[in-house]
Amino acid sequence: MASAAHTPGTSDHVGRRAVIHGLQSKPELNGSVVVVLPGLKVTGIPKPLSLRPANLKWLRDRRDPSDDWSFVDGPRGSPTTILGYIQLDAGRVFRSGISGELIDLGGIDRCDMLTDEVWGLITHDPHGNVIPMPPANQLNPRAKMANTGHLLRDLILDNTSLHAVYYFKLNAISHHLIIETNRGLARIHQAFIQAGVAPLDLGSGVEGEQFVLQGYTARDWATNTSSHRPQTPPHTLFSTACAKWGGGRDLTRDELAEFYDKLIELQTLAFDIAKAMEANLPPKIVEEEKAMFSQSSPGNLVEKPPRGEWFDLLKENPEYSTMTSTGDPYDGVSLVSHPRNFPPTAAWGPFKFDVPGELFGTFSELHAELTGCLPNASTLVSILGFGSQCFRLSGVHKGTGQPEALGWSYVAGSIPH
């Protein structure tokens, strides 16, 4: 008995990459890269396509010789990919398109600085001018994009013929990251630095505290190596997350879908944490914000709620707050004013915001899985600062004066070849 012919959509082909060729009905699609989906279809925008096996030329799962991640013809001997610039040894620097200063891209540990510098790197012209980053859009998994009518998830996963970069500004959890997609594959770039307070042995049985920074550089993430700085995240958390999402790996469409879905799950958990913490807000603030949001329609965004002054104070002075727990996140945690550092005359006075154990434990595990670091007091300050109504908040874009989303937002860009 003759064996059945392999066709797109069978278990042997779902998830595989291919190049469209020999298509007569829509010749403009020839040369496009697609990923095979269940149900005899392949990825496509505005919707999946139905193609015959004869119109698909298979690519290697990862690192096909035809894959091109370059974004610009740089100086002779320079890399032409985002990953290449990040992985350069620390002695190789280039002039920033943002500040004009010489920088080591891989040595950056501030997540917001990394997203800004990567934007400048790939949008600068031959004269060194940089296209300004446009206003950020809300990262709302249920909202369709105004210009295309698609959900962001569908665009990221199914626009496989486009080399694109998505800058995620997750200020509500004090983090930024970059997803780069190309030909049905993806790369995740991130750096992480967070402030905290750690015990300090002062000798003679006296314990004090010291202000510390913990995290990793963009190069650490891209190479799955430690910078061996005194303050680093727990090695097992970092190495596990990096081995899964970083380390210079090219992620498949399924792996990218998993990362994106977990990111949205983290967002949902953060909203739930914000609601739990808001139960301990001062009654005066609760009433003022209730009145503010009741007078504002969804289309009229609020620039700064009453809690904003308190939030700014704690973000600028991370030593003013601390997180108390038993050591097991599933026992619950509390964000409290630091007993010695918080000024007694500051807004609200001493405070305590509780987060239930099951909620924080799940959030903590997922946060570590995606970023390689555990959340701390600064994370909770950001979650409460933006709050459960952060989709109703907006800032003013510096370049255009237009409103832009805050808290959970993104900017999308394409890379021409």
Side-chain angles (χ1 to χ4, degrees):
M1 180 182 295
S3 60
H6 289 311
T7 59
T10 66
S11 59
D12 289 337
H13 288 297
V14 171
R16 286 194 64 183
R17 297 189 301 147
V19 178
I20 299 176
H21 75 111
L23 194 62
Q24 301 295 324
S25 58
K26 294 183 178 179
E28 69 276 8
L29 295 180
N30 289 325
S32 299
V33 175
V34 294
V35 177
V36 177
L37 304 173
L40 304 176
K41 293 184 181 295
V42 298
T43 55
I45 292 293
K47 61 182 180 179
L49 307 170
S50 297
L51 295 177
R52 295 180 303 169
N55 293 122
L56 298 175
K57 180 181 179 182
W58 302 110
L59 296 174
R60 294 181 185 175
D61 289 343
R62 311 176 205 248
R63 309 273 182 176
D64 190 90
S66 63
D67 292 337
D68 180 9
W69 291 84
S70 64
F71 60 86
V72 65
D73 293 328
R76 191 170 188 178
S78 295
T80 57
T81 68
I82 296 173
L83 182 65
Y85 270 99
I86 289 175
Q87 288 182 333
L88 280 175
D89 64 78
R92 296 283 296 279
V93 296
F94 65 95
R95 193 162 300 282
S96 165
I98 302 296
S99 66
E101 300 175 354
L102 293 175
I103 65 166
D104 166 23
L105 189 67
I108 293 175
D109 56 15
R110 274 185 48 192
C111 58
D112 57 337
M113 182 178 178
L114 179 65
T115 53
D116 287 346
E117 292 295 349
V118 168
W119 175 274
L121 182 67
I122 64 177
T123 64
H124 74 278
D125 63 21
H127 305 290
N129 300 312
V130 173
I131 299 173
M133 185 179 285
N137 304 290
Q138 285 183 356
L139 179 58
N140 184 339
R142 295 176 294 277
K144 293 185 177 181
M145 304 175 69
N147 56 339
T148 67
H150 296 97
L151 296 175
L152 177 63
R153 184 184 190 275
D154 295 338
L155 183 67
I156 292 176
L157 295 178
D158 293 343
N159 202 3
T160 48
S161 63
L162 182 71
H163 188 180
V165 185
Y166 302 89
Y167 304 83
F168 287 85
K169 301 182 176 186
L170 316 177
N171 292 313
I173 57 170
S174 296
H175 192 44
H176 289 198
L177 60 86
I178 299 168
I179 294 179
E180 180 184 11
T181 62
N182 186 30
R183 293 167 61 86
L185 299 174
R187 291 173 177 175
I188 295 171
H189 310 289
Q190 60 182 336
F192 200 102
I193 193 73
Q194 62 184 358
V197 178
L200 176 65
D201 184 2
L202 299 177
S204 303
V206 179
E207 272 198 6
E209 292 177 332
Q210 59 180 334
F211 183 70
V212 297
L213 296 175
Q214 297 181 327
Y216 52 84
T217 67
R219 185 178 295 111
D220 292 338
W221 177 262
T223 58
N224 199 1
T225 57
S226 170
S227 60
H228 302 291
R229 292 177 297 169
Q231 294 85 29
T232 57
H235 180 70
T236 53
L237 295 181
F238 169 74
S239 60
T240 300
C242 194
K244 189 171 185 178
W245 315 113
R249 292 184 65 230
D250 291 346
L251 306 181
T252 65
R253 181 182 182 275
D254 286 345
E255 290 170 328
L256 176 59
E258 181 185 2
F259 183 89
Y260 181 85
D261 290 343
K262 287 179 180 291
L263 187 63
I264 298 303
E265 182 183 354
L266 191 72
Q267 180 190 55
T268 301
L269 290 168
F271 283 148
D272 291 340
I273 289 176
K275 291 177 182 177
M277 297 174 73
E278 286 169 348
N280 299 120
L281 281 172
K284 181 173 182 267
I285 297 295
V286 173
E287 290 303 316
E288 290 178 356
E289 293 191 354
K290 183 178 179 180
M292 174 179 287
F293 285 116
S294 66
Q295 296 169 10
S296 173
S297 65
N300 297 323
L301 302 180
V302 176
E303 288 191 22
K304 195 170 186 178
R307 75 182 76 176
E309 181 180 347
W310 173 88
F311 172 53
D312 291 342
L313 177 70
L314 294 189
K315 290 301 290 182
E316 293 168 6
N317 301 276
E319 71 276 11
Y320 285 0
S321 62
T322 188
M323 189 174 71
T324 61
S325 71
T326 65
D328 182 351
Y330 281 93
D331 287 339
V333 297
S334 296
L335 175 70
V336 301
S337 49
H338 194 283
R340 288 183 295 276
N341 297 339
F342 186 75
T345 58
W348 294 11
F351 57 84
K352 181 174 183 285
F353 297 97
D354 300 321
V355 183
E358 186 67 27
L359 180 56
F360 185 76
T362 305
F363 175 83
S364 183
E365 286 187 354
L366 192 55
H367 188 283
E369 181 181 352
L370 296 178
T371 70
C373 285
L374 292 169
N376 68 355
S378 294
T379 313
L380 292 181
V381 167
S382 292
I383 290 175
L384 180 59
F386 285 97
S388 60
Q389 297 276 357
C390 75
F391 280 170
R392 303 279 295 277
L393 303 179
S394 73
V396 178
H397 186 255
K398 293 180 180 179
T400 64
Q402 298 176 347
E404 68 172 345
L406 297 176
W408 295 87
S409 62
Y410 73 94
V411 173
S414 61
I415 299 178
H417 284 273

